[in-house]
Structure formats: C-alpha cells, structure tokens
Amino acid sequence: MKTYPKLFFNRELSWLTFNTRVLNEAKNTRIPLLERLKFVAIYGTNLDEFYMVRVAGLKRLYLAGITEYSADKLTPLQQLNEIRKYIHNEKDELQKVFGEINNALAKENLSFKEFSELNEEQKKYLQELFHSSLYPVIVPIIVDSTHPFPHLNNLSFAMAIKLKDSANKIKFGMVRISRMLPRFIEAAEGVYVPIENVVGEFIGEVFEGCEVISYTPFRITRNADMEIEEEEADDFMEIMAEGLKARKKGEIVRLEVGKNKDTSLLEFITNHIKIQNEDIYEYSIPLNLGTLWQIIGAKKFAHLTLPTFSAKILPPLNNNADIFHTIDNNDILLFHPYESFDPIVNFISSAAKDPDVYAIRMTLYRAGKNSPIIKALSEAAENNKQVTALVELKARFDEENNLYWAKALEAAGAHVIYGIPGLKVHAKIALVIKKVGNEFKKYVHLSTGNYNPATAKIYTDISYFTSNEGIANDAVKFFHTLSTGYAQQCKLDSILVAPTQIKPKILQLIKEEMKYGKDGYIILKANSIVDVDVIEALYAASKAGVKIDMIIRGICCLKPKVAGISENIRVISIIGKYLEHARIYYFKNSNPQIYFASADLMPRNLEKRVEIMTPIIKKSIADKLFGILKLQLEDNIQSHELQEDGTYIKLSPKDNNATNSQEEYEKYVNLIFNSSIKAKDTKTNKLLKRMIGES
C-alpha cells in the first residue's frame, strides 16, 4: 500500500492526547481526591520526560536541517510548533483542575496555601523552621560581574530574586533549592506551603543589607537523550558514566516559571539562559508537579486514596510446594498486579539456594532499587552457580541504577553483559538450569514487564512460567546469542525475537487473517502503535472485512473509522488505577491464536531492540489471555474511544451495565483466592467462567 500522510496521526501529537487523557482522570469525581491529584502528578512527570527526550530530539532534527521525519509528513519545526501550541493551550486547564482539587481537599482539611493565606501562628512557625532547617542548606547567589549565573542541572529548581541594596541600586540574585528538601512545608496539620513561599518570605535575612522586592520560582529542562557512540567504546561502562555526566549539561529545551507581575524577573532569567520564547511556560500553580507524591503517598491521608488491593498468589502456586516441581506439572500464567510478583522472586531465590541448580540466566532492564532479584542472583553467584545477567545500561533514566547493579553482580562473581551494540535488549526472560536425576531440566520465565517488584504493583503485565522443551531450548540459544553478540541475526524455533522475527510474523498473521474476510478477527493490545508497515497491513485487513479491535493505551498513529480504509477498526485506550502495560496479540484463525510480547508495535521495538514474542499453545492459558482482552473491550468506565479526527471520547455505561475492567479483575482474583467461584452476581459469575477458560 502506498503511504498516504492523511491516514496517519502524528506520533508526538498522539502522545499529547494520551497525556490529556491522564489529566482528564484528575477530573474524575468517581475516584478519591488524592487519586485525582495523582493523575496531575503523573501528567507533570510525563511531560518532563516528553520534553527531555521527544522535544529535544525534534530540536536536534530541526537544527540538522531534516525536513521530513514522520509518516504524516510533518517537519520537525511543524511538530515543535504544534506541540508548543498544544501545551500552552492546555496550561489553563491544568491550573483549573489543580485549583478544583485543592478547593475540594480543603473541605477534607488538606490544602496547598500561599504564605499570605496563613494565620500569624502558622507564619511564626514557618519563620522558626526557616532558620532551623532551611537557612543552613539553601544556596544564595548574587549575579553580577564577579558572580556569574551558575550552571543548573536538568530539572533544577531555583528562585530568581530581585533586590534593592542600601544605595537603592537594583540587583538580581538566585537561591538554589536542594532536591533533598521537601517540596511542600507543612505549616499546620494538613496545610502545605510551597517551599519557595517560605524561602521567599525570609530570604531578605540572607541577603543582608538588601531589601527583597520580588521573587519567583523557576525550573529548567535539558536534553536528556544521551548519544552514545557504541562502536567506538572500548569500555562501555565508562562511556555510559560519561554520558550521564553529559546529560546534566544538555541543551535547555524548556523553562517553567512562576507567574509574577514583575516581568523583570523573567528577563533576568532569560538573559542568562538560552531559550526560545515559545518554550517558556508561566504557571500560577506549584512547579514540578511530580513532587505532589510527597502528599499523595503520606500514610495519614490514606483515607483520600483508593483502598490498596493486595495481590494474590493463586493456584497452583499457593500451596508452598517446590516451584520447579509445580512448573513441571503446569504452565502458569500470571496477570500482575492482580496476581502477586512474589512467585517470580521465589523462582530466582529458590534457584539461588537449590544445590541442584547449575545456572541462572536473566535479562534485566529496570530492576529498581533494593532489588530482591539482584540479591538472589548475587547469592547464587557467591554459591558458585553460573550466573549470567544482561544488564541493559541503555535503559533510559535507569542507566545510573543499572550501572550500580552491573558492578554489584560482577563483584559477586556473576558474568555480566552490558548490552548489544546498536540494540537495546528489552526482552524479559529468565532461565534456570537444574540437574534432575541424570538430566538437565530447564525452566523459563517470560514477561511483558520488568523484573521490578515496585512497578509490578502498579503496571498490568503478563508473566509466564514453563518448562516446555521447545521454549526452553530457545531460551538457551537466546542467551548464547546475547553472550556472543550475535543477537542481530538470532532466530528461534518456538518463541520469536526482534529484530529478526517478530515484525515479519505479525505482518504474516495479519495477512493470513485477511483471507477470512468478515470471519476474520484481530485483537491487539499494546502501549503504542506507530509502525507504518503494521498500520498499512491493518488497513488492508480492514478493507478485506476483518474486524479489528485495538486496546492502545498511549500513542496511536493509526486512524480508525475512515470510510473505505479503516471502518472495521475500533481503538480504545484505558486509563485507570493501574498502568496498562501488557502486550497481547490475538488472531482468530491462526494456530496458535494468541501471543504475548515485550514489544510494542513501534519501529524501535520491532527493528532496533531485542524483544521476545511468545505463542501460547495450551488452551487454558490462551483462554485466560483472551478473557483479559474481552473484559477490557467491555470496559465502559475507564475506556476512551479514538475517533477519526484524533479526539478521544470517554465511554459511559448504557442501561446500568457498567464495567470497569480493572475493578472487575480485582473482584475475580479475590473470588478465586477465597475459593468462591459460585458468585451470586450473575455478571461476576459470567466473568469468572470466562476468565478461567470456560465457554
């Protein structure tokens, strides 16, 4: 099919609509107030990363003279202008939403206030706190000919100060505020004041002999997308460490500043940093929205959040039996965070202790802090087991953490692979090799998510244990290709890998489904779909009459509902309590019908990363995966449907038939855990039957 720009949504603008859906959840009165505030925090941190990586990348393309970049044919400059316009237009909505939540929180005795809104007792308390806790650690700077404007690291938070000295001469200065300090200071029970308000009120005591005329907070965002020349690197760990240092000095791509009537403060800042006017955003709400987690996560306000769901260990893993014996008898599929991540930790820690285990091999992309997985691998290496870990040092914003873990594993005696030149290893796989009798038995774990217990509590991911011989042999071969550096050419027999096999297989499956016309059916669940070849194949399948349902949380460059092209394609996005992260691909008339993968439908995943896609042969496991898809397609509470013009319409229940897929799955897991399959509620009973694979 010839590529027509009008048949594709722009990647960056599609991402912005995703972040708008996140912000819109902050308006959702069905959820508690701090859950709403959480979506404001997520919106802010999402936007930080978008500017650090995507906007910074577009700026580089523009400076390099690139005039055509994406399938929709927008130039980098056109995309930059559209992004700026979109975010500036959304700024008022963000401030309005924050204000509404703050007003509602005040009725619950929790609020954000300016210093001027406090009573005298609260002001006196903050003055004492300033002297005892803030005065010693803030860094005041007068900017003049002998005191140059300092370098500010990425996401630095500071204050611009306008002063008048004893000779009535105007001076400008700065106060740097450490990230170690709390973003909000509690003036009284439940009353929080932004730290810059407290510092600003008393900063005159720091600049002795000067009168403070005005002040405003500001924050800069730098290009944080590291460019690593891997082929020229003799020591990859060393070059990554240098790249992390360089990130702190990247080009400034955004300036956020507190709104202030004194325009000279903004002039002072922009006179000393290089920034385009279009990339300056003035806000009347606190900067650095991600720091709202300080309040959201406070235990004393737990009553303003949703009840914590306790992940369950379900049969057959709930009987405390030897996990390897259990896997011998069952293929096991888990759906996190509803089902506990503990069996994965148990799988590795048991292998570390088992005297009959000879080898453990794993890929680690984002292991997190205080990782029990790393601890178990280190213990295994110290127990003289053969431990091989691929620690992907190029995992964006986890590079420093992964450098630390790589060194720790090496110190314990593990063989550490730092990655594959030219590719990111995004595959999630673990292999345990154990002596059973006179033979070596292989046990495999595959996942759509990271080996990270923290994110496993908030990301929905598929996790799969098997001792299937074909998959196990492929796992051995896969790790050999990682060790030898030949992942670029790797092809397996039972599971599929990128960059060699996944994309051709997906295109083949779509093409084969086309043969069935109106009897064809495809369901694709992923974080994003960008790949032009996959999109064009789906358009062709739609034109052939195939029904296509897509559950795409974030970026969707495919246009649904276009007459004669994609009228048989429906796209929904679910934004809820948990971050939808699993990738599941279903093709009605193929054998097998269903797959799960670490890979999204994006060129970077299909062509530039090492990924794994796993076919599901066993009917009960396939039915469970299909049940997850069907349940999510029925969601009419947290689901948004994509329209032909790029807008999303949030669905609403009809005839009182409400379905929140995430809440329904929590119910399902609780009922299974409590052995209460015979639910009185007909709808839930129907759900349970479907989820356990009954027709």
Side-chain angles (χ1 to χ4, degrees):
M1 180 188 288
K2 183 179 178 181
T3 300
Y4 293 96
K6 291 184 178 180
L7 290 180
F8 296 87
F9 292 125
N10 178 264
R11 181 198 195 284
E12 317 305 346
L13 299 181
S14 179
W15 183 90
L16 287 173
T17 64
F18 155 67
N19 212 32
T20 296
R21 295 194 295 282
V22 171
L23 180 60
N24 286 341
E25 278 304 296
K27 305 175 191 176
N28 186 351
T29 56
R30 290 183 66 254
I31 59 178
L33 284 167
L34 286 188
E35 296 292 336
R36 292 172 61 187
L37 193 66
K38 178 178 74 175
F39 284 104
V40 174
I42 295 169
Y43 173 90
T45 52
N46 283 351
L47 205 54
D48 286 348
E49 185 169 333
F50 181 72
Y51 247 94
M52 285 189 284
V53 178
R54 301 305 306 180
V55 173
L58 287 172
K59 283 175 174 277
R60 282 205 311 270
L61 289 171
Y62 170 66
L63 292 172
I66 304 297
T67 58
E68 190 176 295
Y69 175 59
S70 54
D72 57 274
K73 305 302 181 188
L74 289 182
T75 68
L77 181 59
Q78 287 173 322
Q79 293 179 72
L80 285 169
N81 288 337
E82 289 294 322
I83 289 166
R84 290 158 172 159
K85 183 169 70 173
Y86 192 104
I87 298 174
H88 278 291
N89 287 341
E90 195 164 67
K91 187 177 67 173
D92 289 342
E93 186 66 16
L94 170 64
Q95 293 175 151
K96 178 183 175 184
V97 170
F98 181 84
E100 289 173 352
I101 295 173
N102 192 26
N103 290 338
L105 284 171
K107 296 175 183 177
E108 301 289 339
N109 300 314
L110 170 60
S111 61
F112 299 93
K113 289 188 176 182
E114 299 289 311
F115 187 88
S116 59
E117 298 176 277
L118 303 178
N119 61 39
E120 291 305 313
E121 183 181 351
Q122 293 165 350
K123 289 178 179 178
K124 184 179 179 182
Y125 169 74
L126 289 183
Q127 185 175 23
E128 293 171 355
L129 184 141
F130 172 80
H131 286 292
S132 64
S133 302
L134 301 181
Y135 182 90
V137 291
I138 59 174
V139 181
I141 303 163
I142 284 285
V143 178
D144 56 25
S145 58
T146 57
H147 300 87
F149 194 91
H151 170 79
L152 298 171
N153 289 341
N154 185 31
L155 302 181
S156 285
F157 181 68
M159 295 170 62
I161 313 286
K162 185 177 181 179
L163 308 138
K164 185 167 63 175
D165 66 14
S166 57
N168 285 329
K169 185 178 179 181
I170 297 297
K171 292 178 176 286
F172 287 92
M174 275 180 55
V175 176
R176 303 181 72 164
I177 298 177
S178 168
R179 298 184 198 194
M180 303 293 288
L181 292 170
R183 179 67 184 85
F184 302 97
I185 307 294
E186 192 169 17
E189 185 69 29
V191 178
Y192 289 87
V193 182
I195 191 170
E196 65 271 18
N197 271 192
V198 181
V199 173
E201 285 300 317
F202 305 109
I203 198 63
E205 300 176 29
V206 177
F207 293 98
E208 290 189 28
C210 292
E211 175 191 349
V212 175
I213 298 173
S214 57
Y215 64 86
T216 196
F218 70 97
R219 183 173 183 254
I220 65 162
T221 309
R222 292 184 180 273
N223 176 359
D225 199 16
M226 291 191 295
E227 295 184 65
I228 302 296
E229 298 295 334
E230 297 178 49
E231 301 298 336
E232 300 175 13
D234 294 323
D235 186 331
F236 194 60
M237 289 183 77
E238 183 178 335
I239 202 167
M240 286 299 297
E242 290 301 314
L244 287 169
K245 292 178 185 176
R247 175 181 280 171
K248 298 176 181 178
K249 301 176 182 178
E251 172 199 7
I252 296 174
V253 293
R254 181 180 59 163
L255 169 66
E256 297 167 282
V257 62
K259 191 170 285 186
N260 195 296
K261 292 178 182 178
D262 190 342
T263 58
S264 63
L265 288 166
L266 180 57
E267 290 174 11
F268 161 66
I269 299 168
T270 55
N271 283 340
H272 290 90
I273 66 172
K274 187 179 178 182
I275 188 74
Q276 292 177 269
N277 287 335
E278 298 88 347
D279 293 320
I280 300 172
Y281 297 86
E282 291 187 78
Y283 290 99
S284 57
I285 61 174
L287 306 182
N288 195 3
L289 295 172
T291 55
L292 290 170
W293 283 101
Q294 176 191 339
I295 313 301
I296 298 163
K299 290 183 179 179
K300 61 183 175 181
F301 302 127
H303 62 287
L304 297 176
T305 63
L306 287 168
T308 301
F309 176 78
S310 176
K312 305 298 190 296
I313 300 177
L314 302 182
L317 293 171
N318 63 338
N319 56 10
N320 295 319
D322 176 86
I323 191 164
F324 302 109
H325 178 70
T326 304
I327 299 170
D328 277 330
N329 295 319
N330 308 269
D331 278 8
I332 304 163
L333 186 130
L334 309 179
F335 190 26
H336 310 298
Y338 313 99
E339 296 180 71
S340 175
F341 189 78
D342 289 352
I344 291 87
V345 176
N346 181 34
F347 178 62
I348 303 301
S349 58
S350 295
K353 296 179 176 70
D354 192 325
D356 294 323
V357 167
Y358 276 57
I360 307 172
R361 296 168 190 169
M362 284 191 78
T363 58
L364 297 169
Y365 192 74
R366 300 189 194 277
K369 296 180 179 179
N370 303 316
S371 169
I373 298 285
I374 302 288
K375 181 180 178 182
L377 290 175
S378 298
E379 181 183 348
E382 289 164 356
N383 289 341
N384 296 317
K385 299 185 190 303
Q386 183 192 79
V387 175
T388 302
L390 185 140
V391 181
E392 181 49 81
L393 298 185
K394 299 188 289 288
R396 186 180 288 130
F397 304 124
D398 267 323
E399 300 96 342
E400 194 167 0
N401 204 39
N402 286 2
L403 276 168
Y404 174 82
W405 287 132
K407 291 175 182 177
L409 285 169
E410 278 195 330
H415 172 55
V416 179
I417 308 165
Y418 305 129
I420 304 297
L423 297 172
K424 274 188 183 180
V425 179
H426 192 247
K428 315 298 167 32
I429 181 171
L431 169 67
V432 171
I433 302 174
K434 178 179 178 178
K435 190 79 175 291
V436 179
N438 294 321
E439 298 180 349
F440 282 108
K441 191 73 186 283
K442 297 177 281 288
Y443 301 87
V444 182
H445 176 263
L446 295 145
S447 181
T448 64
N450 296 304
Y451 288 107
N452 185 330
T455 56
K457 293 177 181 178
I458 53 175
Y459 289 20
T460 73
D461 273 306
I462 299 303
S463 194
Y464 181 55
F465 290 105
T466 185
S467 59
N468 174 277
E469 188 173 357
I471 290 176
N473 290 337
D474 274 357
V476 172
K477 183 178 179 180
F478 176 77
F479 280 103
H480 285 340
T481 63
L482 294 184
S483 296
T484 57
Y486 286 99
Q488 289 269 20
Q489 295 84 35
C490 178
K491 290 187 178 181
L492 303 177
D493 298 319
S494 296
I495 54 181
L496 300 116
V497 292
T500 53
Q501 292 176 296
I502 296 178
K503 181 173 177 176
K505 182 64 174 179
I506 288 173
L507 292 174
Q508 177 195 344
L509 289 165
I510 295 170
K511 187 175 181 180
E512 289 178 355
E513 203 67 24
M514 285 173 60
K515 298 174 184 176
Y516 295 88
K518 292 182 179 180
D519 290 328
Y521 186 32
I522 296 171
I523 309 174
L524 302 176
K525 173 177 169 59
N527 297 323
S528 301
I529 177 165
V530 176
D531 190 89
V532 170
D533 296 328
V534 174
I535 292 173
E536 289 185 336
L538 291 169
Y539 285 156
S542 173
K543 289 169 73 174
V546 177
K547 180 184 176 184
I548 302 168
D549 282 325
M550 302 178 68
I551 308 164
I552 308 295
R553 185 195 80 224
I555 302 164
C556 181
C557 294
L558 176 148
K559 286 190 177 183
K561 304 184 178 184
V562 178
I565 300 292
S566 57
E567 59 217 310
N568 291 316
I569 303 179
R570 175 180 183 243
V571 180
I572 64 168
S573 169
I574 295 173
I575 308 292
K577 177 181 177 181
Y578 304 119
L579 182 81
E580 293 293 336
H581 193 251
R583 296 88 165 182
I584 309 171
Y585 305 135
Y586 169 82
F587 304 88
K588 177 184 175 183
N589 294 289
S590 75
N591 186 20
Q593 292 179 311
I594 202 159
Y595 302 74
F596 71 87
S598 61
D600 279 309
L601 302 171
M602 305 174 75
R604 73 178 189 189
N605 298 89
L606 302 176
E607 298 170 5
K608 298 177 183 178
R609 290 185 176 185
V610 177
E611 305 269 14
I612 288 178
M613 185 167 81
T614 305
I616 296 298
I617 308 297
K618 192 170 182 180
K619 185 179 184 302
S620 60
I621 302 289
D623 285 345
K624 184 173 180 178
L625 279 177
F626 186 71
I628 291 167
L629 294 177
K630 293 296 287 181
L631 175 61
Q632 295 202 336
L633 288 170
E634 293 171 11
D635 194 307
N636 52 21
I637 297 293
Q638 298 300 129
S639 186
H640 309 68
E641 186 167 353
L642 177 59
Q643 308 301 304
E644 182 185 350
D645 63 358
T647 60
Y648 282 79
I649 295 176
K650 188 164 185 179
L651 302 182
S652 56
K654 297 177 182 178
D655 303 322
N656 296 318
N657 187 25
T659 299
N660 180 326
S661 58
Q662 294 187 351
E663 288 182 0
E664 291 291 319
Y665 211 93
E666 285 184 345
K667 290 179 190 175
Y668 156 71
V669 168
N670 277 331
L671 286 168
I672 294 293
F673 183 74
N674 294 319
S675 301
S676 300
I677 301 297
K678 294 181 179 179
K680 294 180 181 179
D681 176 28
T682 306
K683 179 181 171 185
T684 304
N685 192 39
K686 181 180 177 183
L687 163 71
L688 287 171
K689 287 184 176 181
R690 184 173 67 237
M691 297 310 300
I692 60 175
E694 295 181 21
S695 59

